[in-house]
Amino acid sequence: MIVFILAVLLFLVGLYGILVKRNIIKLAIGLIIMEYAVNLFFVLAGYREGGTAPILDGDLAPGTVFVDPLPQALVLTAIVIGLGTTALLVSFAVKIYEKYDTFDIRKIRKLHG
Amino acid sequence: MIKRLFVLLAVAGMAVILIPFVSGNGAGDALNNVAATYVEDAPRDLGTMNIVTAVIVTYRGLDTLGEVLVLFIATAGVGFLLKKRREGDPVQPPSEILSTGGMILMPLIVLFGIYVFSHGHLTPGGGFQGGVIIATAFLLAMLSARRLPIYSGLLTWIESVSGFAYLAVGVLGLVLAGGFLDSRLLPAGRYGSLLSSGTIPLIYTFIGLKVGTELVSILDKLRSNQ
């Protein structure tokens, strides 16, 4: 229960950052925080009381409880997608900096600079 | 001031929306039906020790294919935005310790990455993790070498071939086994050995090569654009 609240709080921190900050890099950081909060939430939702990692390596006692493997698989893919989109976001930021010499979104007004 | 108030209201509204997720959840002690089926069936049907790998590569193989596509599109976008330019001199040349240590560590890290993606069906790890580890080895090399030539043509070639091979294994599964990306194309082999669980090591090798080369080319583009 308390861990879910903390994950949601982390998500809200990222949301606050996106709404308040004006620097593109900080906006990207806010987005990443939100993304990782969602990943954390999924992994926590797949936890089972006293569960171990779902890897059967021979010397497990019979009747061992495993955590849910499905959220782990989904989060694994989500992390890699997050990496790709973050790289894309950063390259947009690089292009914007080349064109406007600033990361401040308030100063990026003209479309044809 | 009024703007800040609206921001706080928006955050609070989001918090209210998320309350059901928090209150309706608790760590139970039993797996639901889908997860229990995966845990029971994966070792018997597919011969994998790592259930997560079985879910990623076989049970939810189509999702993984879509994810590989997303990563490919992101890489293509980065390549489109950051055109390759002449290589600028590094701001500060790497120190002796960094360059020597980097050159010693880099092949070991690549080897570890290959271990991680080829043992994805037995131990924690897999294609995506192995690919990222290989990319970190090249990042270290980029930081520690004064000039590291990255042959982007070779990277593109490896990436295309492994992506195509991944799809080809998937379609072969459709023709020769139970369905698209079915890993029972090859015999299951001895449980727990390296060459077991059908095509899963093969698919993870292709994914590892593809992810690794894609991330290396992203790093190369980000580095040479200055």
Side-chain angles (χ1 to χ4, degrees), chain A residues 50-67:
Chain A
T52 60
I55 295 168
L56 312 159
D57 57 352
D59 38 85
L60 282 172
T64 311
V65 180
F66 293 114
V67 298

Side-chain angles (χ1 to χ4, degrees), chain A residues 8-68:
Chain A
V8 167
L9 273 183
L10 194 62
F11 183 85
L12 294 178
V13 167
L15 183 68
Y16 180 79
I18 283 183
L19 293 174
V20 168
K21 294 298 175 189
R22 297 284 173 257
N23 185 318
I24 292 181
I25 301 295
K26 289 180 183 167
L27 289 177
I29 292 174
L31 202 66
I32 296 166
I33 291 174
M34 283 170 77
E35 197 180 293
Y36 276 82
V38 173
N39 288 345
L40 186 64
F41 185 85
F42 274 147
V43 171
L44 288 173
Y47 180 70
R48 293 293 174 270
E49 202 67 57
T52 60
I55 295 168
L56 312 159
D57 57 352
D59 38 85
L60 282 172
T64 311
V65 180
F66 293 114
V67 298
D68 197 338

Side-chain angles (χ1 to χ4, degrees), chain A residues 62-84:
Chain A
T64 311
V65 180
F66 293 114
V67 298
D68 197 338
L70 192 56
Q72 297 205 355
L74 295 179
V75 165
L76 184 73
T77 56
I79 288 172
V80 181
I81 289 178
L83 182 66

Side-chain angles (χ1 to χ4, degrees), chain B residues 117-158:
Chain B
F117 72 61
S118 60
H119 287 70
H121 54 303
L122 304 175
T123 53
F128 296 101
Q129 300 92 317
V132 173
I133 290 172
I134 290 177
T136 60
F138 280 91
L139 176 64
L140 183 65
M142 283 173 197
L143 292 175
S144 61
R146 191 173 284 268
R147 263 167 209 274
L148 182 75
I150 301 275
Y151 303 106
S152 50
L154 181 67
L155 286 183
T156 314
W157 193 81
I158 296 176

Side-chain angles (χ1 to χ4, degrees), chain B residues 27-56:
Chain B
D29 49 1
L31 291 173
N32 56 23
N33 283 338
V34 181
T37 311
Y38 286 154
V39 170
E40 277 170 27
D41 286 3
R44 200 179 57 225
D45 289 352
L46 308 175
T48 55
M49 292 171 81
N50 188 346
I51 312 284
V52 179
T53 296
V55 172
I56 288 178

Side-chain angles (χ1 to χ4, degrees), chain B residues 12-38:
Chain B
M14 196 72 206
V16 171
I17 291 173
L18 291 174
I19 282 177
F21 290 101
V22 173
S23 56
N25 253 312
D29 49 1
L31 291 173
N32 56 23
N33 283 338
V34 181
T37 311
Y38 286 154

